[in-house]
Amino acid sequence: MELKTLTYIVVFASFALYFGIAWWARAASTKEFYVAGGGVHPVLNGMATAADWMSAASFISMAGLIAFLGYGGSVFLMGWTGGYVLLAMLLAPYLRKHGKFTVPEFIGDRYYSKTARIVAVICLIIASLTYVIGQMKGVGVAFSRFLEVDYGLGLGIGMVVVWVYAVLGGMKGITYTQIAQYCVLIFAYTVPAVFISLQLTGNPIPQIGLGSKMVGEEDIYLLDKLDQVLTDTGFKEYTTAKLGSSLNMFAYTASLMIGTAGLPHVIMRFFTVPTVKDARSSAGWALVFIACLYTVAPAVGAMARMNLMSTLQPAAGPLEYEARPQWFKNWEQTGLLKFEDKNGDGKIQYTADKETNEMVKVDRDIMVLANPEIAQLPNWVIALIAAGGLAAALSTAAGLLLAISSSISHDLMKGVLSPNMSEKGELMASRVVMTLSVLLAGWLGLNPPGFAAGTVALAFGLAASSIFPALMMGIFSKNISSTAGIAGMLAGIGITLFYVFQHKGIMFIPGTAFLGDMEPNWFMGISPNAFGVVGAIVNFVVAWVVTKMTGPAPQEIRDMVDNFRIPAGAGAADTSH
Amino acid sequence: MSSENNSLYWQANVRLMIMCLVVWFVVSFGCGLLLVDVLNNFQLGGYKLGFWFAQQGSIYVFLFLVFFYAFRMNQLDKKFNVQE
């Protein structure tokens, strides 16, 4: 069957599945809408968390990022998984025990202040909105590239799909669709990886294949060969190439870890399990399902780079441009690959030297997107990649949209503006807000602000410097006072924004970056994307100092902290179990 | 449940947590970043050892840690009689 027809069938079959689930999992109460009724099995919640967490960036871009950064790409692998250790031990069980619906609600309770709750809502909305733009773009790109549908139309279809199951089912619908989406995306990711590992190393398990010898070259390991090929063409050695200084890698990893633990759409998922015990194990299951992709990604990255190098720079000498393989021609048409015959010899010179390099564009997303073609896999595998990329983008978008809409309907409208709203009214309000959020996200995806590219990193920086420290201090210290919590959040987010803006431009407007995006101007060589951890430290210090001035939190708050530190009586704060 | 019992439970929890976080730090920031050049002198199959910790090993240890913590906490919950 023709590839395009096949892709349509696979993609629309997956959409039909999501709609079916949405109808089955309609939400009837606010508890179902915000936390799926609080009765999701920990393994299933782990699976939904994995889909919630793994975005278009994880699915499409990460392996390519690692392929071109080599060892330096480790910051993403460790940063985006290590955060779950923090989440499991420092936050999830206690937030579940407290038993409320949203992250700002917890912060408002712990810091006994509506102002704290509003500050948390603002931090949440900035972080989630910047993140959702990337997902909407991912949906549009997946449609336009695989189905040759116009970008705007593809985005519209994606919006309708998310709208149906998010508005109908709220957290309940989103949870069960995310479980289905996880299955689709992990299958789509693993199948090509297994085939490529088999072709290159004879071992079907990519994690082991990456540490194995090459097929046909029994005396050399794949990674050693890759190092050798890359250094021969002037690139940095794959297994030792650093990302900036060691301190920068350290700060980058730490920022991604605490940012991961502080992202509200992920934390929120742990409100849906029945008990504190389940919250602890569910974080482990989430990490199992995430690790299924994250331990395969480095193999995909290295093997795809190997394939690229051996295709373009075979041992016999540079490849004739006219002899280039079919996948090369396909991706040239999309503009993701670009060749320019600088010395006019009709051959492809691919080197690290900007002067002589003739592969003027090698988009890193190609490493995942073109992988099945490079490995000459059957058409149904290519069709799967499209469905997998869409599943990754849609599942994350839905989680983010729920975080945004629940913080508006539950925290701002019900919590601050009109506390007397009935449950039915709140459910209606949350559906209206969800609809508006989908429209806003779609509009932003269609007209991405100039700063969209750099903002996913900003979302992590904001979560790391504001939400994570506020939650952690609130649990592990009984003293931190209301004023101190608010001052800490504002100081953390303030210094992070200041640092990012001074290097990337105020609101990312070009030309307003008064220090320029240059390495010599970085504070101790720390790149703006890695600055969240510094913001978090500032947050901790400010909160501690202010508590010294204002005096500790009152007794009833200390009692509340004592209460959520022990599992007994979970659910008491909310409804009966 | 006396408040003394609860605070002993909390101390035991914090001790366990710190122990796990030390391991968490050592495998990722230690083996994967700070000591990577030293460890790269050793091989694990075709992997340089430091590189392996950074791209594979640390993730496996994270997994083990989260389940270990959950398992030990369940025991502590029972021991101090604070389970749900």
Side-chain angles (χ1 to χ4, degrees), chain A residues 506-527:
Chain A
I506 298 161
M507 293 316 293
F508 298 89
I509 297 162
T512 57
F514 44 92
L515 280 185
D517 192 11
M518 286 176 294
E519 220 173 316
N521 288 340
W522 290 349
F523 173 68
M524 293 169 71
I526 299 175
S527 69

Side-chain angles (χ1 to χ4, degrees), chain A residues 393-436:
Chain A
L394 291 174
S395 58
T396 307
L400 290 162
L401 289 165
L402 184 70
I404 295 168
S405 64
S406 64
S407 73
I408 293 174
S409 63
H410 189 66
D411 292 309
L412 285 187
M413 294 167 74
K414 167 96 177 172
V416 178
L417 297 175
S418 97
N420 298 323
M421 202 193 289
S422 70
E423 165 156 348
K424 225 174 161 185
E426 193 189 343
L427 192 59
M428 192 63 217
S430 49
R431 289 194 158 123
V432 172
V433 173
M434 176 69 91
T435 307
L436 295 176

Side-chain angles (χ1 to χ4, degrees), chain A residues 71 94 207 211 239 276 295 568, chain B residues 13 32 46-48 56 77 82 84:
Chain A
Y71 165 72
Y94 312 108
Q207 292 91 333
T239 54
V276 173
T295 55
Chain B
N13 172 17
Y47 286 107
K48 291 193 175 88
Q56 296 278 316
D77 288 353
V82 293
E84 290 144 295

Side-chain angles (χ1 to χ4, degrees), chain A residues 198-444:
Chain A
L198 209 51
Q199 282 174 351
L200 283 182
T201 66
N203 194 313
I205 302 167
Q207 292 91 333
I208 299 176
L210 183 56
S212 303
K213 290 179 176 164
M214 304 276 291
V215 165
E217 294 175 74
E218 298 303 331
D219 55 339
I220 188 157
Y221 284 112
L222 182 130
L223 283 169
D224 292 337
K225 170 98 180 174
L226 183 56
D227 279 346
Q228 188 192 323
V229 171
L230 287 176
T231 43
D232 283 353
T233 40
F235 291 98
K236 282 192 205 161
E237 194 177 65
Y238 190 82
T239 54
T240 54
K242 288 203 166 72
L243 187 64
S245 65
S246 291
L247 179 68
N248 180 54
M249 282 186 73
F250 192 96
Y252 211 144
T253 308
S255 296
L256 293 178
M257 281 182 179
I258 58 181
T260 300
L263 281 175
H265 71 287
V266 176
I267 298 175
M268 205 171 63
R269 289 234 47 97
F270 293 92
F271 297 142
T272 67
V273 292
T275 63
V276 173
K277 195 176 148 190
D278 290 335
R280 292 183 197 128
S281 69
S282 194
W285 286 109
L287 195 50
V288 168
F289 295 120
I290 291 166
C292 289
L293 191 146
Y294 274 57
T295 55
V296 170
V300 172
M303 290 174 187
R305 187 84 190 268
M306 187 75 215
N307 269 337
L308 183 76
M309 296 311 291
S310 50
T311 307
L312 298 182
Q313 302 288 310
L319 182 74
E320 295 275 350
Y321 180 65
E322 288 309 317
R324 69 198 187 281
Q326 185 59 38
W327 62 263
F328 192 114
K329 293 176 191 163
N330 292 348
W331 290 95
E332 259 183 321
Q333 283 173 4
T334 63
L336 295 186
L337 275 182
K338 214 167 172 186
F339 168 76
E340 196 185 306
D341 198 359
K342 286 179 181 163
N343 59 5
D345 65 351
K347 291 179 182 161
I348 299 170
Q349 267 87 28
Y350 181 36
T351 65
D353 182 1
K354 277 207 173 81
E355 296 294 311
T356 57
N357 176 34
E358 298 178 345
M359 288 304 299
V360 286
K361 171 134 194 203
V362 183
D363 191 284
R364 56 184 190 228
D365 287 353
I366 224 169
M367 290 294 152
V368 167
L369 298 176
N371 226 348
E373 291 168 76
I374 298 176
Q376 294 165 341
L377 299 180
N379 276 352
W380 62 267
V381 179
I382 306 176
L384 262 180
I385 294 271
L390 284 168
L394 291 174
S395 58
T396 307
L400 290 162
L401 289 165
L402 184 70
I404 295 168
S405 64
S406 64
S407 73
I408 293 174
S409 63
H410 189 66
D411 292 309
L412 285 187
M413 294 167 74
K414 167 96 177 172
V416 178
L417 297 175
S418 97
N420 298 323
M421 202 193 289
S422 70
E423 165 156 348
K424 225 174 161 185
E426 193 189 343
L427 192 59
M428 192 63 217
S430 49
R431 289 194 158 123
V432 172
V433 173
M434 176 69 91
T435 307
L436 295 176
S437 313
V438 172
L439 289 174
L440 177 64
W443 184 79
L444 286 170

